[in-house]
Amino acid sequence: NINSKGTVVPAFVGNISGDGYVDLENNSEIYAYGGGVNISAYGYVYSLGNDIEAYNGDLKINSYDSTIDIKDTYLFASGDVLIESSGTLTLGSIGTVTSLSGTTDTIEADGGVNLTSDNGDVDVYNYSVYAYGGLLSIDAANGNVDIENSTLGAGSDSNISISGSQGSASQNVFMT
């Protein structure tokens, strides 16, 4: 188990993994300047109030046998952002709408963004997600997609794909 309440600065490639869970809270800063960032766990992955950036590669977050819950967190990759959860994948929280132009509750990728739940729902609440150079894909293979009060953006040569095997619902979604 990894609990971080400080700054982690990998020099080349950052790998954070746990046989149990990964819990990052209270303004953790994770920066990889020479490669990507990989965060994975067999249990849940939880991020609250963090800044996670991969300046020369992909940002990958994976929960092999549980859920992923990301709130008040800024994610950036010079490559792709790939988030895959066995269970429910949740970005943000239902409640007061925060600024959609702020630096938290935002995912930015110079490549594509892929948000996937293999066996649960994908819920996006009050989040901004931008794939500047690739596909923005949101997929709940065995669940629903629920997007509320969020902004989704893809580059001029890119597409946005949203699919849920049990349906999709959107409310106050801005696509750019």
Side-chain angles (χ1 to χ4, degrees), residues 148-174:
E148 299 181 22
N149 300 313
S150 296
T151 300
L152 307 176
S156 61
D157 296 331
S158 303
N159 294 314
I160 298 174
S161 171
I162 301 170
S163 62
S165 67
Q166 298 177 13
S168 298
S170 299
Q171 174 181 331
N172 296 327
V173 176
F174 307 97

Side-chain angles (χ1 to χ4, degrees), residues 56-88:
N56 195 19
D58 296 337
L59 170 55
K60 299 176 183 178
I61 301 173
N62 195 309
S63 171
Y64 299 110
D65 199 26
S66 192
T67 61
I68 295 176
D69 193 0
I70 299 172
K71 297 177 182 174
D72 193 28
T73 296
Y74 175 74
L75 303 173
F76 168 78
S78 64
D80 297 331
V81 172
L82 308 161
I83 304 175
E84 183 173 0
S85 178
S86 174
T88 299

